[in-house]
Amino acid sequence: MNPLCCIAPVSLEHAADHLHHHQQPSPRILAAATPPPPPQPAAAAAPAAAVAGVLHKWVNYGKGWRSRYFVLEDGVLSYYKLRGGGGVVGGAGEAAAFAAARVIGEGGALRRAREEAAVAGKQWRPFGEVHLKVSSIRASKSDDKRLYIFSGTKTLHLRCETEEDRNAWIDVLLAAKDRFPRSLTSNDLGPMADIMLSTEKLRGRLLQEGFGEAVVKECESIMMSELLELHNQIKSQQQQHSILIDRLRQLETEKVELERTVVHETKERETHGYANGRQSDFYSVLSGGSTSESDPDTASQVAQVETEEDEVTYFDTRDFLSAESLRSASCRRKEIMTNGCNGSEYVGDSVANTIKTTKYPFVLRRDKLPEPKEKEKPIGLWSIIKENIGKDLSGVCLPVYFNEPLSSLQKCFEDLEYSYLVDHALQWGKQGDSLMRILHVAAFAVSGYASTEGRQCKPFNPLLGETYEADYPDKGLRFFSEKVSHHPVVVACHCEGRGWRFWGDSNLKGKFWGRSIQLDPIGVLTLQFDDGETFQWSKVTTSIYNIIIGKIYCDHYGTMRINGSGQYSCKLKFKEQSIIDCNPHQVHGFVQDNRTGQKVAMLIGKWDEAMYYVLGDPSVKPKGYDPMSEAELLWERDKSLNQTRYNLSPFAISLNELTPHLLKKLPPTDSRLRPDQRHLENGEYEMANAEKLRLEQLQRQARRLQEKGWKPRWFKKDDDDSYRYVGGYWEAREKRNWDGIPDIFGQNSVSPGLP
């Protein structure tokens, strides 16, 4: 028998004193007092029976509504996945309790779920839980079968089979919440009672075994010191627990107050009417905030919508400005643009100005991609790039399935889809209106991001020395770009319009962070008009989310400063999308006078929809001023998208078009001649993959070429360490003189897909 089994109660409060008095006879009992009997708790109400049933839970846009087995017990709502036949995934450790649970609803899925739960064993684990004590329950206003459960971090969207089932669930959920009206506090946990301990039996047993008095005292001392240390640790844990409970109670109180505030402000907005709501939306953007909806049916609550695979953030947004006011502003601008001799007009300072739009010839271009010749083979992205987290993306080799049939050189030209804005800026400048010029330049800088919405595939990384030309007389411009460096990857471009030039170079620093890719652009874009006025800006950061699982989407955020050499400059802020933001893709900023620093106009809109301007400084207007009454449309996105796998716009579809006539004029370095890209466009995936692997071998040799002093053919570094076009390309194209231009694609055959 172990001697420590003979321990009887004694107080630990006196243990420390006992350790310091070894010279005195050890007391037979360190504390004879016994703790007072604990107070008898009041008779508790009988615990409520569990409630179970099958509900439809919103997962994401890809999976939609899915059936889940829900169980409510002790204030916790748990849910379990169901197999295709309706069975529960897992076991049924609580089978007996759930067998006696109250059931809401009926049907085969519920019956099979309960049968599976009753026989599956002791391995049942819920897929998710919601503690009703810190949650709120609301019924849908638009669907009599739906309800919502809001917690501090997520939102459950649930749908019942009938309205009666929904009412029954709401009743039991509210009743369960009422059973837990508040969190415990430190006052609910009384002071820790003294633990009584006696060494009488231990001393007697040790003396019986023949141990001396000194050994007995040493054993008592060791035992007391160990137990005292344990007692102190328990007290420390109790104090931390009390602090945590107090903090949870504080958070619960703040959450309730926040919900009440949102509901109150929503009622005030509805009471004051439509116009005031429009103004508050506008001023929320002025202050850098965002609007919110309190109606659960919009699915844009403060909490994040829970998805079982974290696949997508579920938003059903509305415009940050009223739809009617935006529509009226858009209509006003369109009426003005069609007024008179195909001009555009605005009224400012009581002077009416008109600009003439330039007429360009019509060019017939293709409006769809070729039909795929093979069926695409899906492949798991995670299995390829899980070893590359935190690394530079230029070193990650992906199969061709993750590409779109465009190169990064062609993507540069896609930024000029709305080049008519620059043409308008040119005309305004000729009339001496520098303010309207920079407003159109700012709209042009934003419009380049519109084509990224809905694009889920990456462009091809060009080979060193690869080029791309775009001769678009229907837009009045000629564009040329070249990959001028392989490490780091730098692409340079040059564009000539009628009365203006545009150039720049771009070096994207990309990092993979597990669930997202961050792209930080390095480089300056320059727009120069023939009258000498120049504007320069840099692009903002781009992040691509849900690349492993879920619906892929991109966001652009940061500050764009458009520095003008003339009277005005502009500052634009691309607002980063968050999980609580019901109005993504916002852009707003101001035009400032370079001499006085005064704000003379405001820009507001979304990079994937439209941009508007308001003359003057709206922030100093009197209270009650409705800025949208003066807002004018600058630019609106062309929303005609072809239903292709790549979500390319009609303009983007034309970028890789290769006709027999054009083939005779192109140099062997043009992106249209790249075989893997051409095979991908034709839907020949196996051949595209094989060519991509072959070209990647050539790409690895490019770095060695660059280290040996390779220099780009059509661009040269200037004193600012930026690449500038040196000229000569279009002259060589006219003569079809490509002497000294290497066959970088390693082939002399006609591009695939051409006769």
Side-chain angles (χ1 to χ4, degrees), residues 365-371 641-644 646 648-657 678 681-682:
R365 303 188 186 277
R366 68 177 184 179
D367 57 1
K368 64 179 181 180
L369 297 176
E371 291 296 326
L641 287 179
N642 284 24
Q643 297 301 317
T644 67
Y646 309 104
L648 300 180
S649 66
F651 179 71
I653 289 176
S654 70
L655 300 183
N656 202 47
E657 183 179 10
R678 183 61 58 183
E681 181 180 286
N682 295 334

Side-chain angles (χ1 to χ4, degrees), residues 49-66:
V51 180
V54 173
L55 296 173
H56 302 286
K57 177 181 176 295
W58 176 264
V59 179
N60 53 53
Y61 284 110
K63 295 190 175 182
W65 297 94
R66 293 299 175 93

Side-chain angles (χ1 to χ4, degrees), residues 348-511:
D349 298 332
S350 302
V351 179
N353 295 322
T354 303
I355 62 169
K356 300 292 184 180
T357 56
T358 306
K359 293 287 187 178
Y360 294 121
F362 173 76
V363 177
L364 180 63
R365 303 188 186 277
R366 68 177 184 179
D367 57 1
K368 64 179 181 180
L369 297 176
E371 291 296 326
K373 298 181 180 179
E374 300 174 9
K375 186 176 180 180
E376 186 179 2
K377 296 180 181 179
I379 187 170
L381 178 61
W382 177 248
S383 61
I384 299 172
I385 59 178
K386 63 183 179 181
E387 303 298 333
N388 298 282
I389 296 178
K391 297 181 180 179
D392 191 339
L393 289 179
S394 61
V396 181
C397 298
L398 299 178
V400 75
Y401 303 108
F402 299 108
N403 290 93
E404 63 182 9
L406 293 174
S407 73
S408 297
L409 301 172
Q410 293 165 312
K411 289 283 288 183
C412 290
F413 180 55
E414 196 173 359
D415 288 350
L416 284 100
E417 178 176 1
Y418 300 96
S419 60
Y420 71 85
L421 292 168
V422 184
D423 293 335
H424 289 178
L426 173 69
Q427 296 300 323
W428 285 116
K430 287 182 177 180
Q431 295 189 5
D433 197 331
S434 299
L435 178 56
M436 288 302 297
R437 168 174 280 189
I438 193 172
L439 287 172
H440 282 81
V441 170
F444 169 72
V446 174
S447 69
Y449 293 96
S451 62
T452 62
E453 176 65 12
R455 301 276 280 274
Q456 301 180 3
C457 297
K458 65 183 291 290
F460 281 87
N461 184 19
L463 273 64
L464 186 65
E466 185 174 337
T467 62
Y468 175 74
E469 69 158 60
D471 187 4
Y472 273 58
D474 46 340
K475 286 183 173 290
L477 53 81
R478 295 192 306 182
F479 172 90
F480 179 74
S481 59
E482 180 183 12
K483 182 175 179 179
V484 295
S485 174
H486 177 62
H487 190 79
V489 177
V490 180
V491 171
C493 67
H494 180 86
C495 182
E496 298 174 357
R498 296 189 180 180
W500 54 270
R501 291 180 299 162
F502 174 81
W503 68 86
D505 54 44
S506 175
N507 174 17
L508 281 178
K509 294 241 182 210
K511 286 296 182 69

Side-chain angles (χ1 to χ4, degrees), residues 624-679:
Y625 166 71
D626 183 6
M628 286 312 298
S629 63
E630 300 180 8
E632 297 285 353
L633 178 69
L634 274 173
W635 159 78
E636 191 170 25
R637 176 191 177 190
D638 179 9
K639 297 182 179 180
S640 56
L641 287 179
N642 284 24
Q643 297 301 317
T644 67
R645 172 179 177 267
Y646 309 104
N647 286 330
L648 300 180
S649 66
F651 179 71
I653 289 176
S654 70
L655 300 183
N656 202 47
E657 183 179 10
L658 181 58
T659 62
H661 175 72
L662 182 60
L663 177 63
K664 299 176 182 178
K665 299 182 178 181
L666 293 178
T669 55
D670 195 276
S671 294
R672 297 178 182 88
L673 305 178
R674 179 166 175 162
D676 53 351
Q677 183 173 314
R678 183 61 58 183
H679 283 305

Side-chain angles (χ1 to χ4, degrees), residues 69 108 124 141 182 192 303 361 381 386 569 738:
Y69 186 45
W124 198 357
K141 297 178 181 179
R182 65 179 181 88
M192 191 172 181
L381 178 61
K386 63 183 179 181
S569 293
W738 304 120

Side-chain angles (χ1 to χ4, degrees), residues 266-321:
T266 303
K267 289 181 178 178
E268 277 194 347
R269 173 180 289 186
E270 293 174 353
T271 302
H272 286 79
Y274 169 79
N276 286 348
R278 183 174 63 189
Q279 287 178 220
S280 62
D281 288 339
F282 184 87
Y283 282 106
S284 69
V285 178
L286 280 180
S287 61
S290 63
T291 60
S292 62
E293 283 285 344
S294 60
D295 184 3
D297 297 337
T298 63
S300 58
Q301 283 70 27
V302 175
Q304 178 186 4
V305 176
E306 180 194 39
T307 60
E308 296 179 358
E309 291 82 6
D310 276 342
E311 289 194 2
V312 67
T313 303
Y314 176 57
F315 286 117
D316 187 9
T317 63
R318 70 177 178 86
D319 292 337
F320 58 88
L321 300 172

Side-chain angles (χ1 to χ4, degrees), residues 200-364:
E200 180 69 23
K201 292 184 179 181
L202 175 62
R203 168 178 286 276
R205 185 76 175 92
L206 292 175
L207 293 175
Q208 184 180 353
E209 293 292 333
F211 291 97
E213 185 68 21
V215 175
V216 172
K217 287 184 177 181
E218 184 178 358
C219 289
E220 287 181 332
S221 176
I222 293 174
M223 184 190 69
M224 288 297 183
S225 63
E226 293 293 333
L227 290 176
L228 181 61
E229 178 65 24
L230 177 62
H231 181 68
N232 292 335
Q233 292 179 6
I234 293 175
K235 275 193 170 183
S236 176
Q237 292 290 334
Q238 183 193 28
Q239 293 174 357
Q240 295 179 13
H241 183 62
S242 300
I243 294 174
L244 178 60
I245 287 179
D246 287 340
R247 180 57 179 159
L248 287 175
R249 183 168 181 260
Q250 179 184 356
L251 291 174
E252 181 185 5
T253 303
E254 293 175 355
K255 175 182 175 293
V256 173
E257 291 178 354
L258 177 61
E259 287 182 350
R260 290 174 180 172
T261 301
V262 171
V263 173
H264 176 70
E265 291 181 352
T266 303
K267 289 181 178 178
E268 277 194 347
R269 173 180 289 186
E270 293 174 353
T271 302
H272 286 79
Y274 169 79
N276 286 348
R278 183 174 63 189
Q279 287 178 220
S280 62
D281 288 339
F282 184 87
Y283 282 106
S284 69
V285 178
L286 280 180
S287 61
S290 63
T291 60
S292 62
E293 283 285 344
S294 60
D295 184 3
D297 297 337
T298 63
S300 58
Q301 283 70 27
V302 175
Q304 178 186 4
V305 176
E306 180 194 39
T307 60
E308 296 179 358
E309 291 82 6
D310 276 342
E311 289 194 2
V312 67
T313 303
Y314 176 57
F315 286 117
D316 187 9
T317 63
R318 70 177 178 86
D319 292 337
F320 58 88
L321 300 172
S322 70
E324 181 179 332
S325 61
L326 292 185
R327 195 179 303 114
S328 63
S330 178
C331 290
R332 286 198 304 271
R333 171 56 65 186
K334 289 180 179 178
E335 289 175 359
I336 290 173
M337 291 184 67
T338 57
N339 185 29
C341 303
N342 295 324
S344 57
E345 176 182 316
Y346 91 106
V347 178
D349 298 332
S350 302
V351 179
N353 295 322
T354 303
I355 62 169
K356 300 292 184 180
T357 56
T358 306
K359 293 287 187 178
Y360 294 121
F362 173 76
V363 177
L364 180 63

